[in-house]
Amino acid sequence: MIRVIALGPGAPEAVPAAALAALAGAPRVLAPPLDPALAAALPGAPEPLDLTALPADAAVVAPDPEALRLARALPDAETVPGRDALRARAIGAEVAALAEVGLRLRRECPWDRVQTAETIVPHTIEEAFEVADAVARGGDGLPDELGDLLFQAVFLAQLLEEEEGGADLGAVARGQADKLIRRHPHVYGDAAAETPSGVVDLWERRKREERAEEGIFHDLPAGLPALAWSTKAQGRAAAAGFDHPDAASALAKLDEEAAELRADPGARELGDVLFAAVAVARALGADPELALRASAQRFRARVEEAARLAAASGADFEALPLDEQVRWYEAAKA
């Protein structure tokens, strides 16, 4: 059987003993191009790798990230370590490499050297919105945008590490993992949650238990956009049992608030309508920010298509009266 043997993160001194033991009895060892120092740490020189002509008894060796990619290309191959462990090691190696980039930039780049958490956070917020925009576009460009956001977290962790007694990226990741384990007792414990809404309720109750002294509306960042703040506020209230029982109830409340807005047009009643719409989104299991962003994207696409259709007929969309613009807009929706 073909085996994919992972050589660790790539440093010759970090080749796992299990990898060396697996190589000791391998009849043929093949590898993609390796760093010369890493290749020298192996029992013998590997043959060049050609995935189109692999011997049935081949041992394919590579550093963890490349080994994971090879294992995915060879789904029937045995891996050393097992596939789950290999995935974890490969991800760890790639994130560690990104952290090394962040450390070097902090030390050697004039711009990065003068940054603080306060100056970086606006970029973090921007990158988070770009991730949301990529999701609204159906995932187009999402890996790149996620990478930008990930580096924001890596760089902020680097700044935190520089403080006296500050946590490093590893401690940040460990703390997050521990928190997720605590808040998922239905996975890591004996609690029961059979539906997504049940999981959310359990999550909110667990957070309330952890922060009982902070009251119902604990941990509501003032800087959140209004839709996100409203969603979190409603989630906190729901954890205390104050919530619509179903989508029909939430929709009825939206109808009530819309009627009040028609009777008394103004910002206060409009706010109540928007807040009620957030409750409907929660009841439907939809994120209101993403739902609204998707609607805005559809609106933009339709207006642009309406302008194109008008131009194709020899008309200037921007110069047309409203009723004509609406006609082209309806045509764009068809």
Side-chain angles (χ1 to χ4, degrees):
M1 173 181 282
I2 296 172
R3 289 194 295 171
V4 176
I5 301 173
L7 300 177
E13 67 274 13
V15 177
L20 295 175
L23 286 173
R28 294 186 66 180
V29 178
L30 298 89
L34 299 177
D35 180 270
L38 179 60
L42 303 181
E47 303 174 38
L49 174 65
D50 180 0
L51 286 178
T52 64
L54 272 180
D57 58 352
V60 180
V61 299
D64 291 350
E66 181 65 17
L68 179 62
R69 289 188 282 272
L70 290 168
R72 287 171 172 166
L74 300 166
D76 296 326
E78 179 186 345
T79 66
V80 179
R83 287 181 179 263
D84 287 347
L86 174 57
R87 175 182 177 274
R89 277 180 23 185
I91 291 172
E94 299 285 36
V95 173
L98 182 61
E100 285 297 313
V101 171
L103 178 59
R104 182 167 182 179
L105 292 178
R106 181 66 170 163
R107 289 173 174 172
E108 300 180 21
C109 173
W111 187 88
D112 289 287
R113 275 201 303 264
V114 301
Q115 298 310 304
T116 65
E118 290 75 14
T119 63
I120 287 295
V121 161
H123 300 285
T124 309
I125 294 170
E126 178 183 343
E127 297 299 350
F129 277 111
E130 290 184 5
V131 167
D133 187 59
V135 170
R137 295 196 307 269
D140 181 34
L142 184 57
D144 185 59
E145 299 299 349
L146 277 176
D148 291 341
L149 184 58
L150 175 61
F151 184 69
Q152 292 294 310
V154 166
F155 196 80
L156 282 167
Q158 172 62 41
L159 299 182
L160 181 62
E161 184 180 355
E162 294 169 8
E163 298 177 4
E164 185 175 353
D168 62 11
L169 181 61
V172 170
R174 181 68 265 167
Q176 181 66 16
D178 289 344
K179 180 169 68 175
L180 288 169
I181 289 170
R182 287 196 310 272
R183 293 182 180 174
H184 287 77
H186 56 293
V187 175
Y188 294 95
D190 299 328
E194 302 297 333
T195 65
S197 61
V199 172
V200 172
D201 291 343
L202 190 62
W203 173 281
E204 292 294 344
R205 285 199 302 271
R206 184 54 61 96
K207 285 198 289 188
R208 283 192 66 211
E209 292 169 3
E210 294 175 1
R211 300 171 180 177
E213 71 285 355
E214 299 178 30
I216 293 174
F217 294 102
H218 59 81
D219 193 27
L220 278 176
L224 280 178
L227 282 177
W229 198 94
S230 299
T231 303
K232 277 190 172 291
Q234 291 182 13
R236 298 292 189 268
F242 188 64
D243 196 13
H244 292 286
D246 50 36
S249 172
L251 284 165
K253 183 62 176 176
L254 178 59
D255 289 341
E256 175 188 326
E257 297 296 352
E260 292 180 7
L261 176 61
R262 284 189 290 270
D264 183 19
R268 181 184 177 91
E269 298 299 339
L270 175 61
D272 289 345
V273 168
L274 294 173
F275 194 75
V278 169
V280 172
R282 290 182 55 256
L284 295 175
D287 183 284
E289 172 68 31
L290 295 181
L292 181 58
R293 185 177 292 269
S295 291
Q297 292 282 4
R298 288 194 297 272
F299 173 75
R300 174 181 174 175
R302 288 167 179 171
V303 171
E304 289 176 340
E305 176 64 8
R308 188 193 68 79
L309 291 173
S313 71
D316 179 1
F317 183 82
E318 296 184 33
L320 293 174
L322 178 59
D323 59 337
E324 286 294 304
Q325 289 181 327
V326 170
R327 185 173 67 82
W328 286 114
Y329 182 82
E330 292 299 324
K333 288 171 61 178

